[in-house]
């Protein structure tokens, strides 16, 4: 059972940049539940989408897999034969804990868990690729290259599920969404100090983009259909299709 997230509860002389280190791993399930509106719904629906679009004999990727919540959602919903899940995370602390999570799971779909920068991992024979709040931590200059590599490694009819924190071009609307997100966190027990210090730690590390930017880039790469399937405040998930399955 994860610990209660109180990493930012006390005043810090200097707020360090956010890292997925051992401290964060220990409280991650509590942190993500109390910080990201709709997270549990997104994870559950990743399972539902994978059930529909996983193709026999293909690979399903969870890129930025953290503690493998999306991996497990896929693992227990894939009906297609001879599928494999590739879960990738660059945090050794996350991967070590995720191995224990997977070992305790009863799912039968094989999972290959890799500790690596997702930019170096080959995407091959894929029918489902999940980036669940992952791309936002990648430098802006590298995001298109990663998505292009994913597109190239997808089968026809394959999908990408891209969940991101987003910002809005309209400054008034953007400010409102930030305020509502902070209210969500406060309702889940975070103090004003915790919210402020966490926001400082993520500055220039989590860099959000607009939904329009995500849509346009995915369409420009070649995805045939791209749109939002989930949104709550400034958190959204998009679904992108690569053409149609081969007959």
């Amino acid at each position: 059972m994860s610990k209660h997230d109180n990493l930012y509860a006390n005043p810090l002389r200097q707020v360090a940049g956010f890292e997925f280190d051992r401290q964060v791993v220990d409280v991650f399930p509590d942190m993500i539940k109390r910080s990201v509106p709709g997270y549990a719904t997104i994870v559950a629906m990743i399972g539902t989408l994978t059930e529909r679009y996983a193709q026999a004999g293909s690979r399903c990727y969870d890129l930025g897999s953290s503690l493998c919540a999306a991996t497990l959602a896929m693992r227990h919903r894939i009906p297609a034969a001879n599928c494999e899940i590739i879960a990738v995370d660059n945090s050794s602390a996350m991967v070590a804990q995720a191995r224990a999570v997977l070992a305790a799971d009863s799912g039968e779909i094989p999972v290959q868990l890799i500790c690596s920068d997702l930019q170096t991992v080959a995407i091959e024979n894929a029918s489902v690729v999940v980036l669940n709040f992952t791309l936002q931590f990648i430098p802006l200059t590298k995001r298109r290259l990663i998505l292009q590599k994913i597109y190239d490694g997808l089968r026809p009819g394959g999908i990408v599920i891209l969940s991101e924190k987003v910002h809005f071009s309209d400054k008034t609307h953007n400010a409102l969404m930030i305020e509502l997100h902070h209210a969500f966190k406060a309702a889940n027990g975070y103090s004003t100090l915790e919210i402020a210090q966490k926001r400082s730690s993520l500055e220039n590390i989590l860099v959000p983009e607009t939904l329009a930017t995500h849509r346009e880039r995915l369409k420009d790469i070649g995805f045939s259909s791209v749109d939002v399937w989930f949104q709550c405040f400034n958190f959204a998930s998009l679904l992108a299709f690569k053409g149609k399955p081969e007959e």
Side-chain angles (χ1 to χ4, degrees):
M1 186 173 181
S2 72
K3 299 177 182 177
H4 183 73
D5 174 23
N6 60 1
L7 298 183
Y8 297 95
N10 298 312
L12 300 173
R13 181 175 298 177
Q14 183 174 1
V15 179
F18 188 83
E19 293 183 36
F20 291 98
D21 55 16
R22 182 76 255 172
Q23 280 188 310
V24 168
V25 171
D26 286 344
V27 302
F28 186 73
D30 183 65
M31 175 186 285
I32 202 82
K33 179 178 69 174
R34 296 165 62 206
S35 299
V36 179
Y39 182 77
T41 298
I42 291 170
V43 169
M45 292 304 102
I46 285 171
T48 298
L49 288 165
T50 302
E51 181 178 26
R52 184 181 181 97
Y53 292 105
Q55 299 176 28
S58 71
R59 291 175 170 177
C60 298
Y61 287 81
D62 182 5
L63 302 179
S65 52
S66 62
L67 297 182
C68 286
T71 293
L72 294 181
M74 291 192 285
R75 190 183 205 183
H76 289 276
R77 296 297 293 272
I78 294 174
N82 302 317
C83 285
E84 178 187 19
I85 299 172
I86 312 295
V88 183
D89 203 281
N90 67 354
S91 165
S92 58
M94 277 288 187
V95 170
Q97 184 62 29
R99 290 197 192 283
V101 170
L102 291 172
D105 179 66
S106 60
E108 296 181 358
I109 304 285
V111 177
Q112 183 182 164
L113 180 58
I114 301 171
C115 185
S116 178
D117 187 326
L118 66 88
Q119 298 169 68
T120 67
V121 174
I123 308 297
E124 299 171 331
N125 190 34
S127 61
V128 178
V129 178
V130 174
L131 298 104
N132 205 32
F133 303 104
T134 299
L135 197 68
Q136 61 197 23
F137 291 105
I138 301 294
L140 288 168
T141 56
K142 298 180 179 179
R143 294 181 185 182
R144 183 186 174 93
L145 293 173
I146 289 170
L147 291 169
Q148 182 69 61
K149 180 174 72 170
I150 291 169
Y151 179 85
D152 293 342
L154 271 173
R155 287 183 174 189
I159 65 167
V160 168
I161 302 167
L162 175 65
S163 308
E164 290 279 287
K165 186 176 185 180
V166 298
H167 76 265
F168 302 88
S169 299
D170 184 297
K171 292 181 179 180
T172 300
H173 189 74
N174 193 60
L176 174 60
M177 293 300 103
I178 291 171
E179 288 178 15
L180 290 171
H181 177 223
H182 289 175
F184 169 84
K185 295 179 77 171
N188 282 326
Y190 283 117
S191 67
T192 301
L193 176 65
E194 287 176 291
I195 293 169
Q197 292 191 143
K198 176 71 172 297
R199 189 178 186 186
S200 295
S201 77
L202 286 168
E203 185 117 19
N204 299 320
I205 291 175
L206 189 166
V207 181
E209 298 176 281
T210 65
L211 285 170
T213 297
H214 286 297
R215 283 194 190 97
E216 289 166 10
R217 181 169 52 214
L218 289 164
K219 292 284 283 186
D220 190 51
I221 285 169
F223 286 94
S224 56
S225 175
V226 181
D227 221 324
V228 173
W229 66 272
F230 178 92
Q231 184 178 349
C232 183
F233 305 146
N234 47 355
F235 291 82
S237 191
L238 298 98
L239 183 61
F241 293 84
K242 181 178 180 177
K244 297 180 179 179
E246 295 176 334
E247 296 297 333

